[in-house]
Amino acid sequence: MTEVLEIKRAVKDYRSEVKPTWCPGCGDFAVLNALYKAFVTLNLDPKDVVVVSGIGCSGRLPEFVSTYGMHVVHGRALPTALGVKVANPELTVIAVGGDGDGFAIGGGHVPHAVRRNVDITYIVMDNEVYGLTKGQPSPTTPAGMKAVQNSSSMPKMAPWGIMDTPLNIMGMVLTYGVSFAARGFSGKPNDLSELYVKALTHKGFSFVQAMSPCVTFYDTYQDWKTLVGPMPEGYDSTDRFSAIQLAMTEELFHCGVFVEEDRPTLGDLTRSIAERSKSPSRLAAIQSILESVG
């Protein structure tokens, strides 16, 4: 018998030849490196991985990963990733995007990907600003003057402050019914990588909010270092009500798994329907209908 040796992969096996073009110090570097480490931990075969992105600084990520990748139009990473997974359920499919790409123009796709529980991972690199287009307020930019004062560009973009109330994207996905949701911080890349591993091994739709500061237009690194913290002691990730309550009232950025739930995926349900349609009684009923119409 021929022994099959398992290939152990390293970070270099997942790096592409394209060097990241993000600004020096951008939080997205840590998001990317944490993803490399998660791939190494899971020893994923690059040919079995697809990374799909929308538009924005975050949208460049697939270029820097030596897997299959797609850079699609603004806000359309999720439906594209869903289509890839449905076409080939054996693939590990990851959608990546920013807070603007995912929760502004692409916001309508999120609840439907969640409720279908399609088995993909969605990483939102949240910097609370539109970084690629020079720093306009995004759907998650805090209201009021502090955000404007802390930004190098918003004093011109929003000279009287930000009037819109920011979206609570963790609260949104939890109330949509997501089966896995977690939050990490690019200032803690090892913790972020562990969350990716949990998300990638979760059976169903998994959402990771990766807090990733934009050092050029809205540098929140120092503020966020004092605001991030672990989940409350004794926190129960199977209690959705507590997760929603926490997300809607937290004064810190709690990092960790908010909710984790087992339920059938879109693939499970469609395979079940396919099997039921092949039952002898079902086939006999179809045959009877065909004979009745000549």
Side-chain angles (χ1 to χ4, degrees):
M1 176 181 287
T2 303
E3 184 179 0
V4 178
L5 297 176
E6 184 183 20
I7 298 172
K8 287 299 294 180
R9 298 176 179 86
V11 168
K12 63 180 177 58
D13 297 310
Y14 301 104
R15 283 197 185 116
S16 77
E17 296 179 353
V18 181
K19 301 299 181 186
T21 51
W22 294 312
C23 302
C26 174
D28 292 354
F29 283 99
V31 173
L32 175 64
N33 287 324
L35 192 59
Y36 290 148
K37 290 180 181 177
F39 288 164
V40 171
T41 300
L42 298 172
N43 199 33
L44 296 177
D45 189 333
K47 72 176 179 53
D48 296 331
V49 179
V50 180
V51 183
V52 183
S53 70
I55 300 299
C57 296
S58 57
R60 294 169 175 163
L61 189 142
E63 301 172 43
F64 314 136
V65 183
S66 184
T67 65
Y68 289 101
M70 300 176 72
H71 190 176
V72 301
V73 296
H74 210 343
R76 302 296 181 261
L78 273 184
T80 307
L82 189 153
V84 171
K85 185 68 179 182
V86 169
N88 189 344
E90 301 304 316
L91 295 173
T92 297
V93 181
I94 303 160
V96 297
D99 42 292
D101 182 69
F103 285 84
I105 192 169
H109 295 295
V110 180
H112 303 290
V114 166
R115 70 189 181 94
R116 290 172 182 137
N117 201 31
V118 59
D119 190 15
I120 64 175
T121 295
Y122 185 29
I123 298 171
V124 170
M125 300 145 81
D126 187 359
N127 57 12
E128 298 185 345
V129 74
Y130 282 105
L132 186 67
T133 48
K134 312 304 182 192
Q136 300 96 332
S138 84
T140 59
T141 306
M145 292 304 297
K146 186 176 180 183
V148 176
Q149 291 163 351
N150 288 351
S151 166
S152 65
S153 59
M154 285 186 213
K156 294 181 180 178
M157 303 284 187
W160 292 282
I162 298 159
M163 292 173 278
D164 298 334
T165 300
L167 295 180
N168 183 329
I169 62 175
M170 180 59 72
M172 291 171 70
V173 297
L174 290 170
T175 52
Y176 292 157
V178 71
S179 59
F180 180 99
R183 180 191 288 142
F185 174 45
S186 60
K188 295 181 178 295
N190 290 334
D191 294 349
L192 189 58
S193 184
E194 290 177 10
L195 292 177
Y196 288 160
V197 170
K198 291 178 181 177
L200 290 167
T201 53
H202 173 73
K203 189 179 178 186
F205 185 87
S206 53
F207 170 80
V208 179
Q209 180 183 9
M211 306 303 295
S212 178
C214 172
V215 294
T216 300
F217 295 110
Y218 184 34
D219 191 352
T220 53
Y221 254 121
Q222 294 308 315
D223 284 348
W224 288 1
K225 282 180 179 177
T226 64
L227 288 175
V228 298
M231 301 300 282
E233 187 175 351
Y235 180 78
D236 179 5
S237 62
T238 66
D239 184 347
R240 183 177 299 274
F241 180 76
S242 293
I244 294 171
Q245 196 171 37
L246 178 65
M248 300 305 291
T249 60
E250 61 183 351
E251 295 180 354
L252 302 174
F253 288 134
H254 289 96
C255 291
V257 177
F258 274 69
V259 74
E260 190 168 14
E261 174 185 275
D262 291 329
R263 73 167 193 265
T265 67
L266 178 68
D268 293 334
L269 296 173
T270 52
R271 282 190 289 275
S272 173
I273 291 172
E275 289 301 315
R276 285 162 54 195
S277 69
K278 296 176 185 174
S279 68
S281 61
R282 181 73 175 168
L283 293 176
I286 294 173
Q287 184 64 34
S288 176
I289 293 171
L290 291 175
E291 291 174 355
S292 70
V293 296

